Amino acid sequence: MKQKNYTPACLLIDKFGDRWSIVILMLLHQNGVMRFSELQKNLPAISQRMLAITLKTLESLSLIHRQAYSEIPPRVEYSLTELAKDLIPLLRQLIDWTEEHAEELSTNWDKA
């Protein structure tokens, strides 16, 4: 299908509807500014490569801000953009809904 057939919502979900994006957004929401190593420490199951890819994707969507400092050793910090801050209440609703219906959903996860 051509990209023009998708709605903006479908395109956005396609870009950040992976395993890690929402988790990273919620971590940044809870903790404010975080460094790469702090994110990785809070997400032990994610590989360094996947974390880097996910952060680049979220940055390209203007959902996170990357601030690099020219220090030795180099320091890079990540934070939510205003756009992402507007998205957080909606993600919180999605998370709450999922938790509320977890039992019902889990019985159907294997069938999907």
Side-chain angles (χ1 to χ4, degrees):
M1 271 189 219
K2 293 181 181 176
Q3 190 170 354
K4 68 180 182 178
N5 293 332
Y6 291 104
T7 66
C10 289
L11 291 172
L12 180 65
I13 290 168
D14 181 54
K15 290 290 185 187
F16 88 96
D18 58 48
R19 179 177 180 182
W20 298 109
S21 293
I22 293 174
V23 176
I24 290 169
L25 291 172
M26 295 308 290
L27 267 175
L28 289 171
H29 171 66
Q30 292 169 352
N31 297 301
V33 177
M34 295 181 79
R35 295 175 72 171
F36 187 94
S37 60
E38 292 173 312
L39 286 162
Q40 195 166 31
K41 186 184 289 186
N42 281 275
L43 301 166
I46 194 171
S47 70
Q48 189 171 352
R49 180 178 182 276
M50 182 54 65
L51 179 55
I53 289 169
T54 305
L55 289 170
K56 284 181 184 176
T57 299
L58 292 171
E59 184 182 11
S60 73
L61 293 169
S62 300
L63 294 174
I64 63 169
H65 174 72
R66 180 183 186 273
Q67 177 67 51
Y69 297 90
S70 44
E71 302 172 346
I72 298 176
R75 177 171 54 115
V76 177
E77 295 178 337
Y78 297 91
S79 59
L80 294 180
T81 63
E82 290 302 315
L83 185 63
K85 289 176 185 177
D86 284 347
L87 179 61
I88 293 297
L90 300 172
L91 294 178
R92 185 73 252 163
Q93 285 182 326
L94 177 62
I95 292 165
D96 291 346
W97 180 88
T98 304
E99 290 172 352
E100 182 180 330
H101 298 285
E103 185 177 323
E104 184 180 351
L105 291 169
S106 67
T107 60
N108 296 314
W109 281 339
D110 293 336
K111 298 173 188 172

